[in-house]
C-alpha cells in the first residue's frame, strides 16, 4: 500500500515548506516537489498541513484507581487517540507489589494485545522499589525498551527521597529518565485534616488542599536530588507558575530538568470546581487546576523552551455514577483524573497557534518531535524520509465545536465542552494506514483493531 500526499505544507519543528510526501508501506520514502510515481492512494493536501502524528506520553489506559478503573482501555483509548491525531501513546504501567519490572511490562502489553489501533510504548511506574528493582533498571533500559520510569512523591504508593536518589543514580548510569509526579504529600495530608475538621468537603477544597507551594516544594526538592546525582529528571503534568519557576532556576544552573504540561493546566482554572450540582468533580485531578496566572506562565514556559512536552494525563471516569457517586460529600473520594487524549492536538492548535501563543513549529516540537527525542522513539515524531508514516493531514480552516457526543473517548463528558476549534485533523495515518477520516462534521475511526504495535524505545541521551 502506497500513499502520495500532494502539495501539503510539511511542518517540522524548525520550519515549514510545501512538498509532496510519498509513503510506501509503513514508512516515508521520499519528500520533494512534484514527485512522480504511482501510488495506490493520492491525497490532495493543497491548503492543508502535513503534520507528524502527535505522541501522547502520559496516559492511564484501563488503570485501576480509587476503587474503580480508568474507563478507556487499549481499544477505546487508542481509537480516541487516532481520531484526535495522536498516533503514538506512551502509557503508564504501574508496578504491582512483588512484580518485577519485566512482569509489569509484560502484563500491560498483554492488556493491549489485539486491541491497540495505534502504536504504543510503556513507562514502568516504580511502586515497590525493592533493591532488585533498582538493579533491574539496566535491563528495562537496554532489553525491555522502556527507558523511562515514573515515581510519585504523593499517594500511598509514593517512593521516599532515598529511593528517588537511587533511581536517579541508576538511570544516569544506564541511560534512563526518571519521571516524577511532584507534590509535597505532607502539605496535602495536613490540609485534608484541616478541611475535614471544618467540614469543607466540596470539590473546590480539592484544589485548596493541594496549594501551588506543594508542587513548588516538591520540584525544588527533586531538583536538589538532580544536583546531587548529576542525573536528569522529567516533571510530569507541571501545573503552577511557582513550580515552573523552580524548573527555570534549576535549568539556569545547568541542571537537566525537563517539564511536561497538559491542556487543562493551560486553559482551565480552579473556578471550575465551583460549578453547581457537584459538577466541579469533573475537574478533580492531581495536581488540581490553578489560576489564570499559572495558565499564562505555562504558555510562556512552552514558548521559551522550559516546558518541552505536551501530554494529556488521560484518565477518564464518568461524571454520572463515578465522579458524582464515589466522591459524593467528600472531595477526597472523587476518582482523580479527566479525559483528554482526543482533544490534545486540536486544542493546542486553536488555543496555542491560532491565538498566537506559540508557533506552528513549536506545536510540532512539543507534540511530536521533542517528545520522540525525550522518550527515545527514534522512528517517530517527524515528517522525514525513513521515519514511520504517522501522518496527520490537518485542515487549518476546518471548524469544530467540541462536544462529548462527537468524540470517541469512553466517558460522558469533556472538560472542553463548547470550545470552538479552528483547524482539525481531516485524515490520520498510522504507519501508512489510514486510521481516522473526517466525515461531514466529525472524525470517524477507519483503522484496524490490534494493528498498533509495542514500540521498544532507545535509551535517554540527554540534551
Ligand atoms: Zn498521570
Amino acid at each position: 500500500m502506497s500513499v502520495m500526499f500532494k502539495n501539503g505544507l510539511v511542518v517540522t519543528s524548525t520550519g515549514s515548506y510545501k512538498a509532496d510526501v510519498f509513503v510506501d508501506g509503513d514508512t516515508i520514502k521520499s519528500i520533494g516537489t512534484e514527485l512522480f510515481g504511482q501510488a495506490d492512494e493520492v491525497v490532495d493536501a493543497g491548503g492543508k498541513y502535513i503534520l507528524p502524528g502527535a505522541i501522547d506520553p502520559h496516559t492511564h489506559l484501563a488503570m485501576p484507581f480509587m476503587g474503580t478503573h480508568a474507563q478507556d482501555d487499549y481499544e477505546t483509548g487508542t481509537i480516541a487517540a487516532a481520531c484526535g491525531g495522536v498516533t503514538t501513546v506512551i502509557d503508564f504501567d504501574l508496578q504491582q507489589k512483588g512484580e518485577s519490572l519485566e512482569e509489569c511490562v509484560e502484563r500491560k502489553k498483554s492488556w493491549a494485545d489485539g486491541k491497540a489501533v495505534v502504536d504504543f510504548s510503556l513507562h514502568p511506574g516504580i511502586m515497590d522499589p525493592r533493591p532488585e528493582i533498582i538493579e533491574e533498571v539496566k535491563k528495562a533500559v537496554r532489553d525491555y525498551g522502556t527507558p523511562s520510569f515514573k515515581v510519585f512523591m504523593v499517594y500511598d504508593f509514593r517512593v521516599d527521597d532515598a529511593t528517588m536518589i537511587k533511581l536517579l543514580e541508576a538511570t544516569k548510569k544506564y541511560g534512563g529518565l526518571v519521571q516524577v509526579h511532584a507534590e509535597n504529600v505532607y502539605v496535602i495530608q495536613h490540609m485534608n485534616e484541616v478541611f475535614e475538621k471544618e467540614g469543607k468537603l466540596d470539590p473546590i477544597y480539592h484544589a485548596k488542599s493541594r496549594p501551588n507551594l506543594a508542587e513548588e516544594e516538591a520540584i525544588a526538592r527533586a531538583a536538589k536530588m538532580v544536583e546531587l546525582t548529576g542525573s536528569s529528571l522529567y516533571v510530569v503534568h507541571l501545573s503552577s507558575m511557582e513550580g515552573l519557576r523552580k524548573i527555570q532556576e534549576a535549568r539556569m544552573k545547568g541542571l537537566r530538568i525537563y517539564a511536561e504540561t497538559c491542556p487543562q493546566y493551560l486553559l482551565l482554572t480552579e473556578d471550575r470546581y465551583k460549578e453547581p450540582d457537584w459538577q466541579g468533580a469533573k475537574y478533580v485531578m492531581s495536581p488540581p487546576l490553578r489560576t489564570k496566572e499559572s495558565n499564562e506562565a505555562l504558555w510562556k514556559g512552552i514558548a521559551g523552551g522550559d516546558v518541552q512536552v505536551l501530554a494529556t494525563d488521560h484518565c477518564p471516569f464518568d461524571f454520572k455514577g463515578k465522579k458524582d457517586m464515589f466522591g459524593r460529600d467528600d472531595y477526597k473520594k472523587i476518582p482523580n483524573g479527566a479525559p483528554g487524549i482526543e482533544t490534545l492536538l486540536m486544542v493546542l492548535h486553536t488555543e496555542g497557534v491560532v491565538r498566537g501563543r506559540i508557533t506552528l513549529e513549536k506545536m510540532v516540537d512539543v507534540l511530536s518531535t521533542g517528545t520522540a527525542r525525550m522518550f527515545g522513539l527514534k522512528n517517530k515524531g517527524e515528517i522525514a524520509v525513513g521515519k514511520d508514516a504517522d501522518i496527520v493531514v490537518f485542515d487549518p480552516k476546518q471548524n469544530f465545536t467540541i462536544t462529548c457526543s462527537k468524540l470517541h473517548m469512553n466517558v460522558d463528558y469533556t472538560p472542553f465542552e463548547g470550545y470552538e476549534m479552528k483547524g482539525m485533523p481531516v485524515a490520520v495515518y498510522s504507519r501508512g494506514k489510514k486510521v481516522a477520516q473526517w466525515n461531514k462534521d466529525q472524525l470517524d475511526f477507519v483503522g484496524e483493531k490490534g494493528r498498533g504495535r509495542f514500540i521498544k524505545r532507545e535509551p535517554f541521551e540527554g540534551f
Side-chain angles (χ1 to χ4, degrees):
M1 176 77 188
S2 57
V3 191
M4 176 79 86
F5 299 88
K6 296 289 287 180
N7 290 315
L9 186 74
V10 173
V11 186
T12 76
S13 61
T14 51
S16 307
Y17 57 97
K18 237 182 165 176
D20 301 337
V21 176
F22 179 68
V23 167
D24 194 13
D26 286 5
T27 50
I28 298 173
K29 284 279 152 49
S30 52
I31 302 175
T33 47
E34 319 242 340
L35 285 184
F36 290 103
Q38 295 292 319
D40 300 318
E41 184 192 1
V42 177
V43 177
D44 175 10
K48 312 234 177 13
Y49 302 154
I50 300 292
L51 307 176
I55 299 166
D56 187 350
H58 191 146
T59 65
H60 299 276
L61 298 176
M63 183 183 75
F65 195 39
M66 296 180 82
T68 176
H69 58 89
Q71 284 168 200
D72 269 316
D73 66 6
Y74 268 88
E75 183 176 346
T76 61
T78 57
I79 286 174
C83 292
V86 172
T87 52
T88 308
V89 169
I90 316 179
D91 194 36
F92 284 108
D93 176 17
L94 305 186
Q95 183 198 14
Q96 294 174 353
K97 267 258 176 284
E99 257 184 349
S100 67
L101 294 179
E102 186 174 26
E103 286 163 344
C104 171
V105 167
E106 291 306 318
R107 173 175 49 79
K108 199 133 198 202
K109 268 195 214 167
S110 75
W111 294 10
D113 230 18
K115 288 190 163 189
V117 307
V118 298
D119 292 344
F120 68 97
S121 185
L122 296 167
H123 310 286
I126 297 190
M127 328 284 278
D128 182 17
R130 311 183 306 273
E132 62 268 32
I133 296 299
I134 310 283
E135 302 253 308
E136 204 187 352
V137 161
K138 180 180 178 183
K139 277 192 181 164
V141 170
R142 298 189 180 168
D143 304 337
Y144 315 158
T146 56
S148 42
F149 305 88
K150 172 87 171 277
V151 293
F152 295 84
M153 295 168 89
V154 286
Y155 302 121
D156 298 343
F157 43 79
R158 66 185 175 274
V159 297
D160 61 17
D161 291 359
T163 301
M164 253 183 86
I165 291 167
K166 287 191 189 102
L167 262 174
L168 284 164
E169 284 176 337
T171 49
K172 183 188 176 194
K173 200 161 163 194
Y174 303 118
L177 180 63
V178 175
Q179 303 169 279
V180 65
H181 176 148
E183 286 185 286
N184 179 306
V185 69
Y186 302 106
V187 167
I188 297 165
Q189 283 175 355
H190 174 73
M191 295 311 293
N192 281 340
E193 279 171 27
V194 169
F195 293 141
E196 179 86 46
K197 272 194 200 125
E198 295 175 355
K200 293 174 172 168
L201 299 169
D202 291 347
I204 182 66
Y205 292 101
H206 171 72
K208 304 283 179 209
S209 69
R210 311 178 87 99
N212 297 22
L213 65 80
E215 182 174 80
E216 179 186 16
E217 187 282 332
I219 290 174
R221 184 157 33 103
K224 286 294 164 196
M225 300 180 209
V226 175
E227 195 173 334
L228 179 74
T229 57
S231 190
S232 306
L233 182 74
Y234 177 95
V235 177
V236 298
H237 52 42
L238 175 68
S239 64
S240 69
M241 174 172 70
E242 290 80 355
L244 174 62
R245 270 201 212 115
K246 288 296 158 196
I247 285 168
Q248 287 166 330
E249 281 171 27
R251 289 174 63 78
M252 293 271 274
K253 277 192 195 169
L255 302 181
R256 289 196 301 198
I257 297 194
Y258 309 97
E260 157 200 293
T261 191
C262 314
Q264 56 270 33
Y265 301 119
L266 295 168
L267 298 170
L268 309 180
T269 67
E270 64 176 24
D271 289 344
R272 294 273 181 139
Y273 295 116
K274 298 173 191 158
E275 286 185 1
D277 305 323
W278 209 253
Q279 286 198 65
K282 289 177 180 173
Y283 314 99
V284 167
M285 58 184 84
S286 296
L289 301 175
R290 309 291 188 183
T291 59
K292 266 264 150 296
E293 290 72 50
S294 283
N295 296 161
E296 291 310 319
L298 290 170
W299 278 116
K300 289 197 183 110
I302 298 169
D306 289 318
V307 176
Q308 298 81 15
V309 171
L310 257 284
T312 65
D313 200 4
H314 181 74
C315 188
F317 302 99
D318 276 341
F319 173 63
K320 288 203 180 71
K322 293 268 177 72
K323 290 268 196 182
D324 69 339
M325 295 302 291
F326 283 59
R328 178 64 80 187
D329 307 327
D330 184 355
Y331 68 84
K332 295 189 287 299
K333 296 181 188 141
I334 299 168
N336 276 221
I341 199 167
E342 194 168 358
T343 46
L344 174 66
L345 167 60
M346 61 180 91
V347 164
L348 198 64
H349 177 262
T350 297
E351 295 292 332
V353 179
V354 177
R355 297 202 194 284
R357 288 156 159 155
I358 56 170
T359 63
L360 190 56
E361 289 76 15
K362 177 60 91 174
M363 179 186 86
V364 163
D365 195 35
V366 298
L367 286 181
S368 304
T369 316
T371 315
R373 180 179 54 183
M374 186 75 74
F375 293 111
L377 287 161
K378 75 172 190 309
N379 296 323
K380 304 283 188 192
E382 207 180 340
I383 302 294
V385 172
K387 296 276 179 184
D388 283 353
D390 291 353
I391 293 176
V392 176
V393 182
F394 190 90
D395 183 351
K397 296 200 184 75
Q398 182 61 56
N399 295 317
F400 178 70
T401 304
I402 294 181
T403 187
C404 189
S405 63
K406 290 191 177 167
L407 299 175
H408 300 76
M409 298 178 284
N410 182 30
V411 60
D412 65 359
Y413 76 100
T414 159
F416 301 107
E417 185 71 35
Y419 270 65
E420 303 279 349
M421 295 290 102
K422 180 99 185 150
M424 285 295 285
V426 290
V428 180
Y429 292 75
S430 163
R431 277 185 288 103
K433 181 154 193 321
K434 197 189 283 180
V435 290
Q437 170 73 54
W438 183 262
N439 178 15
K440 281 185 264 184
D441 59 354
Q442 66 172 77
L443 280 130
D444 285 345
F445 173 64
V446 297
E448 190 186 315
K449 198 174 139 177
R451 186 168 179 272
R453 284 185 196 149
F454 173 74
I455 304 289
K456 275 193 167 186
R457 295 184 284 122
E458 302 287 309
F460 176 75
E461 282 178 350
F463 50 89

